[in-house]
Amino acid sequence: MSAATQAPAAETSNGAVAVARAAVVSWKAPIAFGVFALLALVLFVLNPRAEAETGFRLSTGRDFIQIPDVVVPSFLTGVVITVALFAIALWSAILVRQRRKTPLWAVIVFAVLFMVGFLAWAAAGETVPVPGLLIGTVSLSVPLIFGAMAGVISERGGVVNIAIEGQLLSGAFTSALIASVTNNPYLGLLGAAVAGLLVSFVLGAFAVKYFVDQIIVGVVLNVLVIGLTSFLYSKVLQADAATLNSPERFARIDIPVLSGIPIIGPVLFSQTIIVYVMYVAVAVIAFALFKTRWGLRLRSVGEHPTAADTVGINVAATRFWNVSLGGAIAGFGGAYFTLGSVGAFQKEMTAGMGFIALAAVIFGKWHPVKATFAALLFGFATNLKNVLGVIGSPVPSEFMLMLPYVVTVFAVAGLVGVSRAPAADGKPYIKS
């Protein structure tokens, strides 16, 4: 009888495992691979460029080691890469039929191959400045990464932070004003963090204390900040731009030795103080979220606030202060627009980056490091548009303008896998 009862149990267990594995495995990866492989076939093979070669510049004049430009035959490169893409798509389909997941490294290799093939086709007859492409990627990703960190902290605590756009914009405005008046960009950074903090105070108060719908509060705050900063820009900053809207920008700081490494040196180690703070912020948040008591408490109120309340954690206070912390981080990132990039405040200069940062949070599955890479992907898509425009690519400018948003849509649509938000994300906690 024991054996008879054990057999069904084992059978049930095996069936459960099979069901679980079937639930995890998805056809999204091979389908996406197939679509992009077909796109590569159409572009690289069936519509080749007349120019025969494409160059890739890998070094700058300041590198310790000068790497010569790499010149590849455009058409042959496209053919080889297209074959490789179809091979990866086929292999991914075989894995899915075997109830196995497509490994992450295969996705990365596929993406890199497609991008190399696309650049070889789009820049045929020209030379692609690889360091410049990557430097621009990091520069455009800085506010996205700060905004994504704000979103991760807020949503891990159970509050949807739609107001990232407003926090970035308020930080950009305040940093420009304070840095201009005081001639001290460091005070501008501090003011930017305080501005983002104040915006998040409002979000936290209405969402946590008064249980107002978090999406509505976030949208209203974005509209409020856009209107307020636009009004103050027109009536105050433009009236005396030399005094109120001419902040000193941070200079780039070269890290000795590291900044001279080819390709990665100028990209990572010749940046402003804001970028170096970003490196530290991502590392600290990633460590603290999963290795400290603060992170455990934050994740507990975002996953199961009732259980957290039972063991003595103040759910409302934890959510409120962490939303505020996220707002300060986003505001700090907003200062990059005026103190690290443009050099002056302009109306709506964040241009929807707060929403792309929120998409990076989803794309990165609410993990700080993954969200950072997602933000870098969006920054790369944006800068690719700029680089191809400079070298005279045949790709229509309208397509390049929408490229970053196409990447965002694909990411949020779940083509990178299933993203599960914290269980209590967006749900107010009413203590019984």
Side-chain angles (χ1 to χ4, degrees):
M1 182 175 179
S2 175
T5 55
Q6 287 178 1
E11 191 175 309
T12 303
S13 175
N14 292 336
V17 171
V19 171
R21 290 182 63 186
V24 170
V25 175
S26 170
W27 281 94
K28 289 180 180 178
I31 291 174
F33 287 169
V35 170
F36 280 97
L38 287 173
L39 179 61
L41 176 65
V42 172
L43 292 179
F44 310 159
V45 180
L46 301 182
N47 290 282
R49 301 285 307 282
E51 295 81 358
E53 295 180 332
T54 303
F56 292 88
R57 182 172 299 120
L58 303 179
S59 291
T60 64
R62 302 169 57 190
D63 294 345
F64 292 145
I65 302 174
Q66 293 297 313
I67 303 176
D69 293 356
V70 176
V71 180
V72 298
S74 304
F75 178 71
L76 181 59
T77 300
V79 171
V80 172
I81 287 180
T82 300
V83 172
L85 295 180
F86 273 106
I88 295 175
L90 178 61
W91 178 62
S92 176
I94 293 173
L95 288 179
V96 173
R97 286 190 61 85
Q98 295 174 348
R99 302 299 180 187
R100 296 164 60 190
K101 293 179 64 176
T102 302
L104 179 60
W105 65 263
V107 179
I108 296 173
V109 170
F110 187 95
V112 171
L113 286 175
F114 181 86
M115 187 50 57
V116 171
F118 179 77
L119 289 174
W121 173 79
E126 303 289 342
T127 298
V128 179
V130 176
L133 177 61
L134 298 180
I135 290 171
T137 295
V138 173
S139 298
L140 290 169
S141 301
V142 171
L144 292 177
I145 293 173
F146 277 110
M149 294 304 101
V152 168
I153 291 175
S154 299
E155 300 208 16
R156 280 285 185 171
V159 178
V160 178
N161 193 353
I162 296 292
I164 296 175
E165 177 79 3
Q167 293 158 2
L168 288 172
L169 190 59
S170 64
F173 175 86
T174 306
S175 63
L177 179 61
I178 294 179
S180 299
V181 172
T182 63
N183 274 334
N184 189 329
Y186 291 97
L187 289 179
L189 278 179
L190 180 61
V194 172
L197 182 71
L198 293 177
V199 174
S200 64
F201 270 175
V202 180
L203 173 64
F206 280 95
V208 177
K209 183 175 178 59
Y210 298 109
F211 313 120
V212 179
D213 186 282
Q214 298 170 9
I215 306 297
I216 295 176
V217 174
V219 172
V220 170
L221 280 174
N222 288 333
V223 175
L224 174 63
V225 173
I226 289 172
L228 183 61
T229 55
S230 298
F231 172 78
L232 292 176
Y233 170 77
S234 300
K235 300 298 183 182
V236 178
L237 297 191
Q238 279 193 322
D240 190 1
T243 303
L244 303 179
N245 196 21
S246 299
E248 177 186 350
R249 289 194 298 174
F250 286 106
R252 291 183 179 271
I253 302 173
D254 293 335
I255 304 298
V257 180
L258 295 178
S259 62
I261 300 174
I263 301 178
I264 66 170
V267 174
L268 299 179
F269 305 114
S270 180
Q271 294 287 353
T272 65
I273 186 66
I274 301 177
V275 179
Y276 294 128
V277 170
M278 179 191 74
Y279 298 159
V280 175
V282 173
V284 169
I285 292 171
F287 174 81
L289 191 60
F290 300 104
K291 301 294 183 180
T292 67
R293 178 181 297 181
W294 167 80
L296 179 61
R297 288 173 174 246
L298 176 64
R299 287 182 288 121
S300 67
V301 301
E303 291 289 348
H304 204 311
T306 303
D309 193 10
T310 302
V311 298
I313 298 175
N314 189 325
V315 175
T318 301
R319 286 184 169 182
F320 178 82
W321 290 113
N322 281 288
V323 168
S324 302
L325 173 62
I329 292 172
F332 190 97
Y336 184 78
F337 288 102
T338 51
L339 303 183
S341 179
V342 178
F345 181 80
Q346 299 291 333
K347 283 184 178 180
E348 301 182 42
M349 66 186 309
T350 51
M353 281 195 173
F355 299 106
I356 296 182
L358 193 61
V361 174
I362 301 171
F363 192 4
K365 300 182 180 180
W366 292 267
H367 190 287
V369 176
K370 293 179 181 178
T372 297
F373 283 112
L376 286 170
L377 174 61
F378 300 141
F380 178 82
T382 303
N383 196 46
L384 181 61
K385 169 196 67 178
N386 301 330
V387 171
L388 292 182
V390 170
I391 64 178
S393 168
V395 181
S397 59
E398 293 81 5
F399 174 79
M400 299 309 301
L401 284 172
M402 72 180 186
L403 181 61
Y405 304 99
V406 171
V407 172
T408 305
V409 169
F410 273 97
V412 177
L415 292 183
V416 294
V418 178
S419 296
R420 187 192 71 83
D425 191 21
K427 301 176 182 176
Y429 176 68
I430 303 175
K431 188 170 182 177
S432 56

